[in-house]
């Protein structure tokens, strides 16, 4: 029997960062907990980022995940909003990295496609599918449901991440050997 793996999914946001913890044993998913870390919009950016850092640190310490998955930044027309989201995402990547945890990143469309079967699913569809996959899941916000969806996506793609890391070029490897490995991985993926 496969040992359970605890996965923390993070949906970064400056105002609200969703988080969700699941366990995966083989192909079986189990809900653990979820919620939102918030920052005070009246504070300067540095203090808001500190609030996110402290909140995510509490989650990592409290749930002791084995692996972490973070949604990639969605680029929109508002450059300032995208930059602020990038700051929040940096905190979401940094906290688990400082704890020595492996962190994987997933595009929003891949999360939607993995969980709902369509890359342009809306929030209601994501929430419905998360509830279908894990009937015991209790989330009060779309951010928490999205974080659970990110964790589910990682549960479905973690084997390919492990394969890629096992076959990653090692220091001192020739460029030709690295290119051959990259080509082989591209065919497999």
């Amino acid at each position: 029997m496969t040992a359970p793996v605890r996965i923390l999914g993070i949906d970064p946001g400056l105002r609200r960062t969703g988080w969700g913890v699941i366990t995966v044993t083989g192909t079986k998913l189990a809900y653990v907990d979820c919620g939102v870390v918030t920052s005070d919009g009246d504070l300067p950016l540095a203090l808001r980022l500190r609030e996110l850092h402290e909140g995510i640190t509490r989650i990592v310490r409290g749930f002791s995940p084995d692996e972490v998955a973070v949604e990639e930044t969605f680029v929109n027309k508002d450059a300032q909003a995208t930059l602020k989201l990038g700051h929040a995402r940096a905190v979401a990547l940094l906290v688990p990295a400082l704890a020595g945890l492996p962190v994987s990143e997933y595009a929003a469309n891949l999360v939607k496609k993995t969980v709902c079967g369509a890359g342009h699913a809306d929030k209601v569809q994501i929430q419905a599918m998360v509830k279908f996959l894990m009937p015991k899941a209790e989330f009060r916000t779309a951010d928490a449901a999205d974080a659970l969806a990110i964790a589910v996506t990682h549960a479905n793609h973690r084997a390919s991440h492990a394969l890629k890391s096992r076959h990653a070029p090692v220091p001192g490897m020739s460029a030709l050997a690295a290119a051959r490995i990259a080509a082989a991985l591209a065919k497999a993926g």
Side-chain angles (χ1 to χ4, degrees):
M1 182 162 165
T2 308
V5 176
R6 186 168 280 205
I7 300 170
L8 168 62
I10 300 176
D11 180 26
L14 185 57
R15 186 170 296 148
R16 290 180 312 276
T17 291
W19 60 270
V21 180
I22 67 170
T23 57
V24 59
T25 307
T27 58
K28 183 181 177 207
L29 302 173
Y31 168 77
V32 176
D33 203 355
C34 67
V36 177
V37 174
T38 60
S39 72
D40 183 344
D42 294 331
L43 293 176
L45 178 60
L47 297 178
R48 294 180 74 185
L49 294 173
R50 184 180 74 186
E51 286 182 330
L52 293 179
H53 184 277
E54 291 168 351
I56 296 169
T57 298
R58 279 192 302 274
I59 300 307
V60 168
R61 286 184 183 152
F63 290 97
S64 302
D66 300 303
E67 300 173 9
V68 179
V70 178
E71 188 173 76
E72 290 180 349
T73 300
F74 175 78
V75 179
N76 59 34
K77 294 178 184 175
D78 182 354
Q80 196 68 4
T82 301
L83 184 59
K84 287 180 180 178
L85 176 59
H87 292 315
R89 191 170 170 286
V91 173
L93 292 167
L94 178 64
V95 171
L98 288 173
L101 298 170
V103 181
S104 298
E105 303 172 65
Y106 297 96
N109 282 350
L110 179 61
V111 173
K112 292 173 184 178
K113 189 170 185 174
T114 301
V115 175
C116 298
H120 298 289
D122 63 24
K123 298 261 185 208
V124 173
Q125 290 172 301
I126 291 170
Q127 291 173 15
M129 285 306 296
V130 166
K131 194 70 174 165
F132 175 77
L133 292 169
M134 295 177 293
K136 294 182 180 180
E138 296 179 16
F139 43 85
R140 288 184 222 128
T141 67
D143 301 299
D146 289 350
L148 289 169
I150 294 161
V152 168
T153 299
H154 182 65
N156 282 278
H157 292 275
R158 61 188 296 273
S160 65
H161 281 286
L163 179 66
K164 286 178 185 176
S165 68
R166 277 198 306 268
H167 297 287
V170 294
M173 179 184 287
S174 74
L176 180 60
R180 286 182 184 153
I181 290 171
L185 288 174
K187 285 181 185 177

